[in-house]
Amino acid sequence: MILGDPIIFGGSGGPSASDAILTVTVPTGSTVTMTKGGVSVTPTMWVQAADNTLDCALFVISPSLFDSQNAWTVTATNGISSASATVTISTNNAYDMELQLWAGEIYMHGEQYQQQTGGFEVVRVMANTAPIAQASYGTTPNGVISLSVSGTNANGAVSTVNPIDLSRFSTMTVKLQSNSFGNNRLYIMANSTKSGIILDGQNNNCDFYYKPAGYQTGDLTLDVSAANGSFYLLVGGFSSDPTYVCKISEWYLS
Amino acid sequence: MKIYLDSEYRCHLSDDGTMREVETDAFDGKGSVYIEGYRYVPSGETWIRSDGVAFKGLMVTPAKDFNSLATAQTQHEHDEAQRWGSLGIPQEQGFTATRRYPIGSFLSIYGEIYEVISIILTGGQIIPWSNVKKSTVEEYINKKAED
């Protein structure tokens, strides 16, 4: 069923004319809930939007739940990040909203989404020992980038294919979730070139970098206020155990 | 190497009496202008920028315009290469050997000196870190004097 097809009301089962309908548009693969005062409601049904990267969650709200005083909180999540909005449902109208999760591209915080050019690629940086390690990354429909670095003493990073002009910005923020065990290490970086970067678990040879300690979940920030020009932006990992995985759910400049 | 940090985590090569000493290899092969243009926030510590944004360590970023630091570093590497070249230390431009290096020989990569300690490298081979150990011009000079 595609949004735009008629929804039949009346009869046994399904919504009635006295019900309100809330349509929440979210990236494909997200989960959506609406909550108010300890009450949590899941979608009545899902339909696919005309844009096949989006889905629509339909909530049927009966008159007994109408409330002109207290708003519902609607939350969408892709398992790592979430977005919320509120809506007051007081009558049997049709309500709609769109919740955006990360589009999978670096954006300029506080402004409308601006697309970087060329996307991302894997940069297999120097390995501590031969053979050169394997690194790969993938994107999901809801924008999460997953970087995997495999092999003992292995290094790998996901990088922008093209450099980005950082002159207007002072901070790079990456929201991610990583596993960490043994001597694994994680880096967020900005570099004037894509070559010559060394991640050997002991130090780093990169123009701007932040190396947090241990397992990470949340926002990582890098000061780029002295970056007057274009730089490649990277998230990389050093693995001393079989596989190191990092999931990036948001990446922006401000 | 030892560096000294001021209250804003800016790096210095000497202590003016108010700084604290930190041991790090983050600036190996870098010249003085480059090093003293950087900020080094140690792991476990947090720097608060003047606009209130907090940055956790370990973070190593320029505190001065990067372009000027990069220019200074390029000149430093050129000067060092001239010195190494006059001493007979060959330079590799990347991590692939362009020639054969016997055990006990020296080479330089990205501004750093290395002594070959393991298998003999051949031209075209990627240089494994386990085959070399970091060294210095002084060690090279001393070793040459012993030979």
Side-chain angles (χ1 to χ4, degrees), chain B residues 7-85:
Chain B
S7 60
E8 286 293 311
Y9 294 102
R10 286 185 295 250
C11 302
H12 302 267
L13 293 174
S14 58
D15 181 7
D16 68 359
T18 67
M19 303 174 188
R20 64 185 169 122
E21 182 181 298
V22 169
E23 184 72 41
T24 179
D25 56 8
F27 298 108
D28 285 359
K30 304 301 185 187
S32 58
V33 173
Y34 183 98
I35 295 171
E36 295 199 318
Y38 259 73
R39 176 172 283 108
Y40 181 98
V41 182
S43 182
E45 300 187 33
T46 301
W47 169 59
I48 310 293
R49 198 169 58 190
S50 58
D51 60 0
V53 179
F55 298 92
K56 297 179 181 177
L58 170 63
M59 186 180 77
V60 182
T61 55
K64 299 179 181 177
D65 172 57
F66 173 76
N67 294 332
S68 64
L69 303 183
T71 299
Q73 179 60 22
T74 298
Q75 184 62 51
H76 170 78
E77 290 176 6
H78 172 78
D79 295 343
E80 290 290 275
Q82 294 286 96
R83 183 161 76 109
W84 298 327

Side-chain angles (χ1 to χ4, degrees), chain A residues 87-105:
Chain A
V87 61
T88 301
I89 299 179
S90 57
T91 185
N92 60 337
N93 282 339
Y95 300 82
D96 65 82
M97 63 173 55
E98 180 172 354
L99 294 177
Q100 287 188 340
L101 296 172
W102 188 45
E105 292 179 323

Side-chain angles (χ1 to χ4, degrees), chain A:
Chain A
M1 180 180 184
I2 305 294
L3 189 66
D5 289 352
I7 302 174
I8 306 301
F9 286 81
S12 61
S16 70
S18 61
D19 294 329
I21 304 288
L22 169 65
T23 303
V24 183
T25 303
V26 293
T28 300
S30 307
T31 59
V32 184
T33 55
M34 49 187 299
T35 58
K36 178 169 71 71
V39 175
S40 183
V41 182
T42 55
T44 306
M45 64 185 296
W46 285 86
V47 297
Q48 184 183 47
D51 174 351
N52 62 11
T53 66
L54 299 173
D55 288 340
C56 295
L58 300 186
F59 294 86
V60 177
I61 300 99
S62 66
S64 64
L65 295 178
F66 290 174
D67 184 349
S68 62
Q69 302 298 317
N70 303 291
W72 291 86
T73 298
V74 183
T75 301
T77 180
N78 57 16
I80 297 178
S81 60
S82 62
S84 296
T86 57
V87 61
T88 301
I89 299 179
S90 57
T91 185
N92 60 337
N93 282 339
Y95 300 82
D96 65 82
M97 63 173 55
E98 180 172 354
L99 294 177
Q100 287 188 340
L101 296 172
W102 188 45
E105 292 179 323
I106 297 172
Y107 69 97
M108 318 306 178
H109 194 57
E111 302 176 9
Q112 64 181 8
Y113 276 59
Q114 297 180 31
Q115 292 188 352
Q116 71 197 66
T117 61
F120 295 98
E121 64 180 343
V122 161
V123 176
R124 213 161 46 225
V125 296
M126 277 303 296
N128 203 19
T129 59
I132 294 177
Q134 299 302 309
S136 62
Y137 91 99
T139 55
T140 62
N142 57 16
V144 172
I145 290 179
S146 181
L147 168 69
S148 176
V149 182
S150 302
T152 303
N153 293 335
N155 297 265
V158 58
S159 171
T160 57
V161 170
N162 297 316
I164 295 177
D165 186 355
L166 300 183
S167 303
R168 298 162 49 210
F169 305 102
S170 60
T171 306
M172 181 174 87
T173 302
V174 183
K175 178 176 289 188
L176 56 74
Q177 194 175 64
S178 68
N179 65 343
S180 179
F181 45 87
N183 291 318
N184 290 350
R185 287 168 176 80
L186 171 70
Y187 297 85
I188 66 171
M189 304 172 279
N191 210 50
S192 50
T193 68
K194 268 188 287 193
S195 63
I197 298 174
I198 305 170
L199 297 177
D200 64 0
Q202 301 303 318
N203 63 20
N204 191 47
N205 184 10
C206 192
D207 301 328
F208 300 73
Y209 68 92
Y210 166 48
K211 184 179 78 172
Y215 173 83
Q216 289 295 319
T217 182
D219 290 0
L220 278 60
T221 54
L222 179 69
D223 173 36
V224 296
S225 57
N228 196 8
S230 294
F231 293 78
Y232 297 92
L233 307 185
L234 307 96
V235 174
F238 169 83
S239 171
S240 64
D241 289 292
T243 303
Y244 181 79
V245 176
C246 163
K247 292 184 180 180
I248 303 163
S249 61
E250 205 163 359
W251 194 343
Y252 63 88
L253 298 162
S254 56

